[in-house]
Amino acid sequence: GTMSVIVDITDRKKAEELLKNTYREMEQKVKDRTAELSEAVQELNAEIIERNRTEAALYDSEEKFRSIFLDTREMIFISTPDGKIIDINPAGIEMLGFKSKDELESKKSLDLYKNPEDRQKLLSKLDKNNFVKDYEYELQKKDGTYITVIETSTVARDEDQNVIEYRGIIRDVTESRKKESELKIAKESAEKANQLKNEFLANISHEIRTPLNAIQGFTELIAEEKPRAKIDKYAAMILVESENLLELINELLDVSK
């Protein structure tokens, strides 16, 4: 006869099903994690690209500032509240007549002012407004001569609003102010000359009219008089006044030359 063996595999089926489910869950988690990592990598790459762009832009900006700092003909400076010069460009060193930044750094800002009160006024404006535009004063060069300058500057402060440093640009306007002064003097001289001319013309007009009136008057008398003696007298007077008028006209012609 045939003998059959029946084995209960229920538990095995359950175990296999559990294993499959666990595998699927693990596989899904791996896929999800891979997707998250992929997204994170993309974000990281984007951040690296953006950072590289920012660094490139910053470098470009620094290079442009450095170029301006070195090549401009105006003084660019940074100084501390107590007047120590932290940095200054070549144009500033040259403007003040020094040979090097080291030589100038031994000086304090106050030492360079012709009038020390100008610095106090400037700092007062800066402390109040954090900004000053075209403030004019005089600086003393190394050789003792003075230059007229205009300054535009700002204030850098810390978190507690204490002043850290002053940063500014100074332009030498000595020549332009000199030309303005010369133009002012020339204008005043021209106005004075014009006034003298008007006074002269007013006086000369009177001087010309006087002999002309005399000539006209004596001529009318000659026309009316018949005795010869009086005619000769009036003729002599006409001659004198004519000579006076001729002399005056000659003087006028000499002045106009």
Side-chain angles (χ1 to χ4, degrees):
T2 303
M3 189 162 95
S4 299
V5 179
I6 298 174
V7 179
D8 187 356
I9 60 172
T10 303
D11 290 339
R12 186 192 299 174
K13 287 285 187 183
K14 287 181 180 179
E16 288 176 354
E17 189 64 29
L18 180 61
L19 187 61
K20 286 179 181 178
N21 289 338
T22 302
Y23 176 78
R24 281 195 293 269
E25 288 176 4
M26 290 292 293
E27 188 176 32
Q28 188 60 45
K29 285 181 179 179
V30 169
K31 287 181 180 178
D32 292 343
R33 185 58 178 161
T34 301
E36 288 175 2
L37 288 172
S38 177
E39 185 177 349
V41 168
Q42 290 178 2
E43 289 177 358
L44 182 60
N45 286 336
E47 185 178 337
I48 291 171
I49 292 171
E50 184 60 31
R51 183 177 297 175
N52 288 340
R53 286 176 182 168
T54 302
E55 288 177 354
L58 181 61
Y59 177 79
D60 186 50
S61 177
E62 289 175 348
E63 282 298 301
K64 286 179 180 177
F65 175 78
R66 180 174 176 79
S67 176
I68 293 171
F69 184 82
L70 293 175
D71 298 336
T72 184
R73 298 311 303 155
E74 298 178 345
M75 181 195 300
I76 300 176
F77 72 92
I78 301 173
S79 66
T80 62
D82 64 355
K84 180 176 174 57
I85 299 169
I86 300 174
D87 203 0
I88 186 169
N89 66 336
I93 297 169
E94 182 182 348
M95 187 184 296
L96 294 171
F98 289 87
K99 294 180 180 179
S100 68
K101 186 163 72 171
D102 292 338
E103 185 182 14
L104 183 55
E105 282 178 348
S106 64
K107 292 273 188 181
K108 284 199 172 184
S109 299
L110 187 61
D111 300 331
L112 302 172
Y113 281 75
K114 179 181 180 181
N115 300 310
E117 59 268 23
D118 282 332
R119 175 171 166 78
Q120 295 306 318
K121 290 177 182 177
L122 176 61
L123 295 185
S124 178
K125 289 177 180 289
L126 280 168
D127 289 341
K128 181 179 178 182
N129 305 315
N130 288 326
F131 178 79
V132 166
K133 181 177 173 61
D134 293 342
Y135 182 80
E136 186 169 326
Y137 58 96
E138 288 184 280
L139 287 175
Q140 185 177 38
K141 298 175 65 175
K142 182 184 177 182
D143 63 6
T145 58
Y146 297 102
I147 56 174
T148 304
V149 299
I150 55 175
E151 177 177 333
T152 297
S153 52
T154 59
V155 179
R157 299 180 183 272
D158 61 19
E159 294 178 355
D160 297 323
Q161 294 304 301
N162 297 312
V163 176
I164 304 173
E165 58 191 27
Y166 300 108
R167 304 165 183 170
I169 297 175
I170 291 177
R171 182 155 53 96
D172 184 351
V173 294
T174 306
E175 286 302 315
S176 61
R177 291 294 181 267
K178 182 180 177 183
K179 288 178 182 177
E180 287 173 7
S181 178
E182 290 172 350
L183 284 172
K184 183 180 178 182
I185 292 171
K187 182 183 178 183
E188 290 173 352
S189 298
E191 289 173 350
K192 182 66 176 177
N194 190 54
Q195 181 184 350
L196 291 173
K197 181 195 74 174
N198 291 336
E199 291 174 359
F200 172 75
L201 289 175
N203 292 331
I204 211 69
S205 175
H206 172 73
E207 296 294 331
I208 290 174
R209 285 195 185 98
T210 300
L212 280 176
N213 288 335
I215 291 169
Q216 183 181 9
F218 288 130
T219 304
E220 290 173 354
L221 287 173
I222 288 174
E224 295 173 358
E225 292 292 340
K226 292 185 180 179
R228 184 69 197 174
K230 285 191 176 182
I231 291 175
D232 289 344
K233 178 183 177 182
Y234 293 150
M237 290 181 177
I238 290 172
L239 181 61
V240 170
E241 294 299 337
S242 297
E243 288 174 350
N244 290 340
L245 183 59
L246 180 60
E247 185 180 350
L248 189 58
I249 290 171
N250 286 333
E251 288 177 359
L252 280 174
L253 290 173
D254 288 341
V255 168
S256 66
K257 288 181 181 178

